[in-house]
Amino acid sequence: MHSIKSQIITAFENLDADALELLLDDNKTYQDVPKKIFVERYREYFRNLKEDEEVLCDFKAYPGKCNHCSKDKKGYSFVNSQNTCYAELIFIEDDDNYLDIYACKNFDSTHCDIADSFGGISFCDDEKVGFMLTFEELVEKEFCLSAVKEIEDEIKENKILPLKFIKDWQNKYNPLYGDLNIFERKNYSFINLVKNYLGSIRNVLNFIELSKKAALYIDLFKDPIFQDDEAIMMWMFACIEDIPDVKLYLHAKVNKAENYIAFGKVNVNLSYMQDYLDLQEIYRQHYDLLPHSILTSFPWDWQNPCKISNDNLNDMLDDNDQFPF
């Protein structure tokens, strides 16, 4: 029969939060937070790893130890066959169980070929056992939670958020406009909830503006002059100059069937960004025309969820409308 300690390590290898919930002690804290918070945060982390199509979830535990703050304390790094590490954890143990588990940023692993590391989980100050908020911070917490409730209620009602609601919510809760200066130097969970939504909305509005620019370059590309490779290259240089982000991976999930694009939990109509996605596809089809020095600055993998079909692209380029110089 496997020991509790070995079962806990296996749960981390298998990204199994349900097993952790059963195996970890309800009366203990882990990384200074209650077990419930610890498990739920890892449950979300594991779910994101499993949903990431670029990550192979065949993680194995490799022993090691801390070389700094918890010097010589033992633990494990969890590394997959891509040599990607999702966490390096110290395990404080007694004879038959672990007394504590916490992330380590200065870990010497016996796996010597780690190519990439995700850094693991950190927790906010207000999530830690014994932490007390001041009266002013309690008011700030109420402000933040009302902002979160407002946008999450809208998400429940409308799977695809109206653009007007997005802009109004941002203007109301953006720290540049808000009445409370709560977004600086505080690592609180309720502040991070608002900041995450603000970050998603900032990305939405940024890419909508970029898509408006992209539409102009797509129209320009339809001109017959751009049948020549040199002309196409010059068009690509102009595009990079005006829309540098065209080279970037769009960290969003496209759902063509339901006609939306998701930035985190914020879904918006796909039509707002279709021109930007189409422009990226034109780039992918011609990027080999660019000099090597430019190519090295492109993402390592252009095959992302935003890719449109060749048939759609050909239909788009069949239009002979010319850009008015």
Side-chain angles (χ1 to χ4, degrees):
M1 184 174 179
H2 295 293
S3 69
I4 291 178
K5 289 191 290 187
S6 67
Q7 290 179 69
I8 290 172
I9 300 303
T10 299
F12 277 104
E13 288 181 322
N14 295 337
L15 309 180
D16 189 348
D18 290 337
L20 289 179
E21 189 168 12
L22 292 173
L23 293 165
L24 297 183
D25 190 332
D26 291 337
N27 299 315
K28 288 187 173 68
T29 62
Y30 300 91
Q31 203 164 324
D32 297 327
V33 300
K35 169 197 160 180
K36 181 179 179 181
I37 293 177
F38 183 86
V39 171
E40 286 309 307
R41 191 63 54 77
Y42 270 97
R43 187 186 305 281
E44 181 181 5
Y45 188 34
F46 292 163
R47 182 171 59 248
N48 290 336
L49 288 171
K50 292 173 184 177
E51 290 177 355
D52 191 332
E53 296 178 356
E54 296 182 5
V55 176
L56 293 179
C57 293
D58 56 352
F59 293 95
K60 299 297 180 185
Y62 294 86
K65 60 184 179 180
C66 177
N67 64 17
H68 189 55
C69 295
S70 299
K71 192 168 180 62
D72 294 332
K73 296 291 186 184
K74 296 179 181 180
Y76 295 91
S77 58
F78 295 89
V79 187
N80 67 6
S81 59
Q82 299 167 307
N83 293 331
T84 296
C85 177
Y86 84 74
E88 295 175 315
L89 302 174
I90 297 298
F91 290 80
I92 305 298
E93 58 186 313
D94 61 11
D95 291 337
D96 58 0
N97 206 337
Y98 290 119
L99 304 176
D100 197 2
I101 304 169
Y102 55 89
C104 179
K105 294 184 178 179
N106 298 278
F107 193 79
D108 280 337
S109 174
T110 54
H111 190 297
C112 58
D113 295 321
I114 295 175
D116 193 15
S117 180
F118 293 152
I121 294 290
S122 61
F123 295 91
C124 299
D125 293 339
D126 62 309
E127 295 175 310
K128 296 177 181 178
V129 172
F131 187 88
M132 299 289 290
L133 295 171
T134 66
F135 176 78
E136 181 186 29
E137 289 168 339
L138 288 171
V139 174
E140 295 171 350
K141 180 177 181 178
E142 189 67 24
F143 172 81
C144 289
L145 293 182
S146 67
V148 172
K149 183 178 186 304
E150 185 176 327
I151 193 168
E152 290 185 347
D153 284 350
E154 186 71 21
I155 289 171
K156 288 179 183 177
E157 184 175 345
N158 297 298
K159 186 171 185 178
I160 300 175
L161 292 184
L163 188 56
K164 182 180 185 305
F165 173 86
I166 288 174
K167 290 181 177 179
D168 289 346
W169 191 91
Q170 188 210 39
N171 288 340
K172 186 175 180 180
Y173 295 109
N174 189 306
L176 295 176
Y177 305 107
D179 295 330
L180 298 174
N181 183 24
I182 61 177
F183 294 92
E184 299 296 331
R185 298 183 300 280
K186 292 180 180 178
N187 181 30
Y188 294 165
S189 60
F190 51 88
I191 292 176
N192 288 343
L193 287 172
V194 179
K195 288 170 70 174
N196 287 341
Y197 278 115
L198 283 169
S200 294
I201 286 175
R202 184 167 55 249
N203 284 336
V204 167
L205 297 178
N206 180 48
F207 278 107
I208 287 175
E209 290 305 309
L210 290 176
S211 197
K212 292 176 182 178
K213 282 187 176 183
L216 299 176
Y217 280 92
I218 289 173
D219 281 343
L220 178 60
F221 191 74
K222 296 172 185 176
D223 191 279
I225 192 174
F226 294 109
Q227 296 177 12
D228 176 80
D229 284 353
E230 186 173 349
I232 293 174
M233 184 177 68
M234 297 306 296
W235 172 86
M236 295 175 78
F237 278 133
C239 197
I240 292 175
E241 181 81 18
D242 199 20
I243 314 177
D245 288 346
V246 75
K247 299 187 297 179
L248 299 181
Y249 178 84
L250 182 59
H251 290 283
K253 294 183 179 179
V254 173
N255 187 323
K256 292 184 180 179
E258 298 185 52
N259 195 40
Y260 71 81
I261 182 168
F263 289 80
K265 297 179 181 179
V266 177
N267 301 335
V268 294
N269 194 298
L270 183 57
S271 64
Y272 292 134
M273 296 174 206
Q274 190 62 60
D275 287 322
Y276 180 86
L277 303 182
D278 291 350
L279 184 65
Q280 280 204 325
E281 182 61 21
I282 296 172
Y283 247 77
R284 287 189 193 91
Q285 293 197 353
H286 297 91
Y287 79 100
D288 57 326
L289 298 176
L290 293 171
H292 178 72
S293 59
I294 298 293
L295 290 178
T296 55
S297 67
F298 275 64
W300 70 272
D301 184 2
W302 275 77
Q303 303 302 316
N304 67 50
C306 302
K307 186 173 181 179
I308 62 173
S309 70
N310 290 334
D311 290 338
N312 288 342
L313 181 65
N314 291 334
D315 290 342
M316 176 187 73
L317 297 180
D318 282 341
D319 187 350
N320 288 323
D321 291 342
Q322 295 187 8
F323 187 87
F325 285 100

